[in-house]
Amino acid sequence: MWLMTVPMFLSGSAFGFLYGGEGGEKTVFIFMRLAMAVVPLLFFATHLRNAMNDSRRYLPLVAVIIYLAVASALSGIPFIAFKGVLHLLLSILFGVAIAACCTPDQAARTLMQTLVLALIVSIMWIGLVPEAGLHHGDEFDGQWRGVYVHKNTFGQLSGLCAALLVSHGRLLSSNRLFVLCSIGVALVCAAKAGSVSGYMILGTAVAVTIGRRLLSGLPVSLAGVIVIGPIGLVGIVVLNFYKEILTAMGRDPTLSGRTYVWEASTDYIFSKNWVTGLGLNFSSGEEFGDYMKAIFHGALDTHNGFL
């Protein structure tokens, strides 16, 4: 994870600013994928026995990968789809390697160290090269993005960092003042990024942490009922009044037109082979691009990767 930190620092506005925008960023993304392939292999080479002892735990993941490979073969863009499957497989292997080699506490500590370091470097980058560390000349003018391409990425990582420090900061350091200062830095970064998803990550994680502590002494079944009930109620309210809620939050009820894109994407999916799907990253293919352009003028970035 420390090895992954280095290219991650360079993967955003920093590298693009220094080495020529999109092309530079793509170069670093390739390096990140190579690192993600090498790191699990190194871990497995030294901890193969531990990984194999838990091999049955990974059978569901194997089934998912096989399913995605079949879907890619049947896709209209098999090469692009197989690339998506490969990237997903590398991410899974990276997680499996971490699980085989680290205890949960060790993994959490390393993740927090990495996130705190990322925020510190981002703040330094904003101070040294504000034309790269801040958004300029767009709708997000002046908002922080640090060493990342977009303020949402920076905001989400800041929110995640603050949430982890609130719940497990003792694993990072026994110095309470250092942990509190780190939480403060993460909150400032989240606020300056102005990412709603970053706020939601932070709020959800803090709520889960408080809930776990309040329910820690109860039987699991009773705690489940207490948790699932309010969540279900909130879900019903959100589904029925999401437009009003988004409007009250100052957000566009269509999420900048995304709901229209998602609706068209769903219609397209069910008009085709919806059992095996269209293949990972199908939205980047020419066929779907032409379909979207025919419906929406300028709909080049469809935000429908998960669909």
Side-chain angles (χ1 to χ4, degrees), residues 180-196:
L180 289 174
C181 290
S182 298
I183 293 173
V185 169
L187 291 175
V188 169
C189 289
K192 289 295 186 179
S195 170
V196 174

Side-chain angles (χ1 to χ4, degrees), residues 8 13 36 109-110 118 140 155 189 224 239 273 275 287 297 301:
M8 183 61 80
S13 59
M36 289 184 71
R109 182 183 302 110
T110 306
F140 310 120
C189 289
L239 286 174
N273 177 13
V275 177
E287 178 183 346
H297 174 69
D301 189 358

Side-chain angles (χ1 to χ4, degrees), residues 6-47:
V6 179
M8 183 61 80
F9 285 161
L10 301 175
S11 67
S13 59
F15 198 94
F17 174 77
L18 292 173
Y19 297 102
E22 293 293 330
E25 291 164 11
K26 290 179 180 178
T27 302
V28 175
F29 290 151
I30 291 173
F31 175 75
M32 287 177 62
R33 290 163 190 154
L34 289 174
M36 289 184 71
V38 170
V39 172
L41 291 176
L42 292 176
F43 275 130
F44 277 124
T46 54
H47 297 79

